[in-house]
Amino acid sequence: MVGRWSILALTILAACGEERIEVRAAGATDYNQRALQKAVDEFVTEGRTPAAYSELAKRVLELRSGMDRTVAREAELRLVVLALAPVQSVQAKPMAEQVEALALTVWPTLLAPPIEADEVLIKRDEKAVHVYPRGGEDARGYLQRLCGGVLAGDCKQLVPEYQGAAIAALATRHAMERVRNAVTDCVMCGAEPGWHDAVLTWESLDRQAHAWLPDIERRGAPDNWPIAGTAAESGTELADPTALWREAEINALGEVVVGGQRYIGEERIAALRELRADARTITLHLRPELTLAQVKGILADATKSGATKVAIVARQPEYPWERRIYWLSLSGSTRVGLRPTDSLQLLLHTIDHVASPGAVARVD
């Protein structure tokens, strides 16, 4: 299905580079129509990459003050259709890579209001300026600012690792709505099926993005992690920095989940051993309501896999739900004296009262 849409998008974009929406009579000014076409041609020449799209979008905003309504509508149509190429170029990659490629280049334009001619009677959305990246802002900081501000209703209740998927779905929904309106407003588009195909392509991408959104919202909820307290270390200050890449989730069924793959029984130990590689630690995402009896069984499997201690991921209790780390093992130096039926959250809360960051707590 992805291949079909990719081929279709290439056809559409080829048409975009060659066709004019409207034949305009020569006059004192063309309202920046030629400059718009030049910017589009440069985007095509540069390979329709996310970076090239960012430059196109910036140029359109620079030209907007000199556009009349017709040229503004042409700019809007071209922007939402031409965004297909950079979006599809990274569609098969992990979301973390899509974020790095699109968050600062393509998504801001798709999240912004449609391009309109600057007129005295038009009052622009004052919040629109906040969807554009700020100087020196990286992709992660950009998403956290959006989710903590203008897009709080869409993604503030998601931990940072899942914000990219939510914003990608939101940007796709905006693009679909904008391309529908742009093609409807385009008098000449009825003679070129490529414009209608662009609408179908964005609709397909929107269905794909939103099919996963409920699962993203469920998995990314902060309540899925224990609450961090005073004895937790920063998640970026591990003794072994590469440990963050060796993280497994233990789901409600007790399965080890690594990269979407689930392992049960003896397979859990093998999966943890492969995850550990040559390190002596493993990072685990455990739900806060797990009993200490369950946690002890998980630690036993981690020990059999060769790990000497386990980093348990917790979250700060307020946005942006920063990752924090507690250390557990079967032979740690810090003992808390809890019952097997007590919860992991209670264990970590107790550690906050009896230990300092970096202590390795023993689960008896």
Side-chain angles (χ1 to χ4, degrees):
M1 178 65 72
V2 172
R4 173 193 170 193
W5 289 120
S6 298
I7 294 172
L8 185 57
L10 290 174
T11 303
I12 296 167
L13 296 178
C16 293
E18 298 171 359
E19 298 291 335
R20 300 293 194 275
I21 291 181
E22 182 178 347
V23 178
R24 302 176 59 85
T29 178
D30 68 350
Y31 299 102
N32 285 336
Q33 200 277 337
R34 284 192 293 268
L36 171 63
Q37 182 59 42
K38 180 180 178 182
V40 170
D41 292 340
E42 290 175 354
F43 166 74
V44 174
T45 300
E46 292 297 321
R48 303 184 176 97
T49 65
Y53 184 87
S54 178
E55 293 303 314
L56 169 63
K58 292 175 183 176
R59 183 58 177 151
V60 168
L61 291 180
E62 293 172 357
L63 297 172
R64 186 179 63 180
S65 61
M67 295 178 181
D68 67 357
R69 182 172 298 181
T70 301
V71 176
R73 286 180 174 176
E74 177 179 350
E76 167 68 3
L77 177 62
R78 288 178 179 266
L79 273 184
V80 291
V81 173
L82 291 172
L84 281 168
V87 167
Q88 290 187 309
S89 71
V90 297
Q91 187 182 4
K93 295 182 178 181
M95 182 50 64
E97 295 184 33
Q98 294 186 42
V99 167
E100 289 300 320
L102 303 176
L104 302 179
T105 57
V106 180
W107 291 346
T109 296
L110 300 183
L111 292 169
I115 300 297
E116 295 177 304
D118 280 315
E119 297 179 0
V120 176
L121 296 179
I122 293 180
K123 183 178 180 180
R124 302 199 178 281
D125 185 352
E126 296 179 356
K127 297 181 179 179
V129 65
H130 298 296
V131 303
Y132 292 104
R134 296 173 179 173
E137 199 168 41
D138 62 12
R140 180 178 178 183
Y142 170 69
L143 297 188
Q144 288 192 12
R145 177 172 61 81
L146 290 187
C147 291
V150 293
L151 300 183
D154 298 287
C155 54
K156 189 173 184 178
Q157 293 305 313
L158 294 175
V159 298
E161 298 94 310
Y162 291 89
Q163 289 174 348
I167 291 183
L170 184 62
T172 302
R173 175 60 54 85
H174 282 198
M176 179 192 68
E177 294 172 347
R178 287 173 61 180
V179 77
R180 283 175 174 173
N181 293 335
V183 171
T184 299
D185 291 339
C186 172
V187 177
M188 305 297 292
C189 288
E192 172 52 60
W195 302 112
H196 179 65
D197 292 339
V199 176
L200 296 179
T201 304
W202 274 120
E203 289 176 345
S204 175
L205 294 176
D206 178 67
R207 287 192 297 271
Q208 294 176 40
H210 279 76
W212 291 100
L213 194 56
D215 185 59
I216 293 297
E217 293 173 343
R218 177 182 58 81
R219 294 174 59 192
D223 291 344
N224 291 327
W225 285 264
I227 298 173
T230 57
E233 285 188 309
S234 171
T236 60
E237 296 176 358
L238 294 170
D240 176 10
T242 62
L244 286 175
W245 299 102
R246 290 187 298 276
E247 181 172 332
E249 175 187 356
I250 309 299
N251 65 16
L253 299 177
E255 299 169 320
V256 171
V257 184
V258 181
Q261 297 294 318
R262 302 183 178 189
Y263 304 90
I264 60 175
E266 292 297 323
E267 294 178 344
R268 298 200 323 175
I269 299 174
L272 292 174
R273 182 180 296 112
E274 182 177 356
L275 184 70
R276 182 180 62 80
D278 58 351
R280 305 302 294 173
T281 63
I282 293 177
T283 303
L284 295 181
H285 166 199
L286 306 182
R287 294 189 60 85
E289 68 272 13
L290 286 179
T291 67
L292 295 190
Q294 293 172 307
V295 173
K296 184 176 181 179
I298 294 167
L299 293 179
D301 285 349
T303 301
K304 291 177 182 178
S305 76
T308 58
K309 61 180 180 178
V310 172
I312 303 299
V313 181
R315 298 283 176 178
Q316 289 285 67
E318 68 282 329
Y319 187 81
W321 324 114
E322 180 185 350
R323 284 170 57 101
R324 308 288 285 182
I325 295 295
Y326 289 90
W327 293 102
L328 302 181
S329 78
L330 295 178
S331 57
S333 58
T334 300
R335 307 188 71 165
V336 293
L338 297 177
R339 298 167 298 184
T341 54
D342 288 328
S343 69
L344 172 63
Q345 183 65 74
L346 181 58
L347 168 64
L348 302 186
H349 182 64
T350 304
I351 294 172
D352 291 332
H353 287 275
V354 302
S356 57
V360 181
R362 178 172 179 171
V363 180
D364 294 314

